[in-house]
Amino acid sequence: MRVKTSITLPKELLGKLDWVDKNRSALLERAARAYLLNLERQARDLRDIEIINRAADRLNREATDTLDYQQLP
């Protein structure tokens, strides 16, 4: 379902939007969806980094142990 809305934008921005696509509604919908998808990806990446950082010390110890074992004569 589509809902009609009204927004206020600077004139120069509208000119640039019209240059890309004469259908402002479609362009702004695509832009909003891309922006929201980007926010979701950033949030997911931050969660992944937190998980990696929580395990980093343990994983680094395991890697060091493995390297030390490989260097034994």
Side-chain angles (χ1 to χ4, degrees):
M1 179 174 87
R2 301 227 178 249
V3 177
K4 188 168 179 78
T5 188
S6 176
I7 61 171
T8 303
L9 298 171
K11 189 172 187 174
E12 73 274 0
L13 179 57
L14 284 177
K16 290 179 181 180
L17 292 174
D18 289 342
W19 183 79
V20 173
D21 190 338
K22 293 295 181 193
N23 185 339
R24 291 178 184 165
S25 292
L27 176 61
L28 291 173
E29 181 179 350
R30 287 193 313 269
R33 289 182 187 281
Y35 178 74
L36 293 172
L37 181 61
N38 187 47
L39 289 179
E40 291 173 7
R41 286 180 181 149
Q42 287 178 0
R44 183 192 63 225
D45 290 347
L46 286 175
R47 286 190 306 270
D48 290 348
I49 289 170
E50 289 173 4
I51 292 167
I52 291 168
N53 285 338
R54 281 196 306 264
D57 289 337
R58 178 182 55 81
L59 294 172
N60 286 336
R61 281 193 306 274
E62 288 178 16
T64 300
D65 288 345
T66 300
L67 291 172
D68 288 344
Y69 178 77
Q70 289 176 352
Q71 291 177 4
L72 292 176

